[in-house]
Amino acid sequence: MPSFPEQSAVYPTTPDKLLEAFKRLDTLLPNLIPSVFSKAHKLQGDGGAGTIAEYVYTPGRTLKVTTELFDEVGHIFHADFQLEGDWRYSCFKVHIQLVPGLLHGTTRVRYTFIYEPETAPPPLDIIAAAHPGVVALSAYLYDEHEFQRSLSASTESTKNLTETV
């Protein structure tokens, strides 16, 4: 199966908080970005592996997401996406790994998009659509006080390092 080269971005929240939010995407996304997702609900499961959720997104199209892997220790989320009316892909999966960012309280999100058939174009439109959802989630989860403490600690650590050199 071909895959689009790994994409990554850093967000101001912890891997634990972001992964926990993935369990509640069906309730969070319509509230955080109603211009994209008008409604959503779980058809089955509690948000972990085996969960099937359905999302209605603009312009009234349906996206069904089946969570295949939800690893709370390794911070990994792997899901199968079925896009109503999008015949480009016979199979479309997303593999997401959350790793702590360089600053305390941040997360580097690594995305890999896996799709078939090989002759299909890279899913650039889907990749572009995924980013605002994660931005909205991280903004919702953002703990300004925790981030400021980590920034101060990082600044102090850098200052101490430069003083010893």
Side-chain angles (χ1 to χ4, degrees), residues 10-14 17 104-107 134-135 137-139 141-144 146-147:
V10 176
Y11 301 97
T13 189
T14 66
K17 286 181 183 179
H104 177 75
T106 64
T107 300
V134 179
V135 169
L137 278 176
S138 64
L141 299 169
Y142 179 65
D143 181 342
E144 185 175 353
E146 180 180 329
F147 189 73

Side-chain angles (χ1 to χ4, degrees), residues 35-48:
S35 61
V36 177
F37 296 100
S38 59
K39 63 182 178 176
H41 64 280
K42 286 184 182 82
L43 301 172
Q44 168 184 319
D46 63 358

Side-chain angles (χ1 to χ4, degrees), residues 35-36 38 56-62 84:
S35 61
V36 177
S38 59
V56 177
Y57 64 99
T58 306
R61 294 176 65 191
T62 302
E84 176 188 277

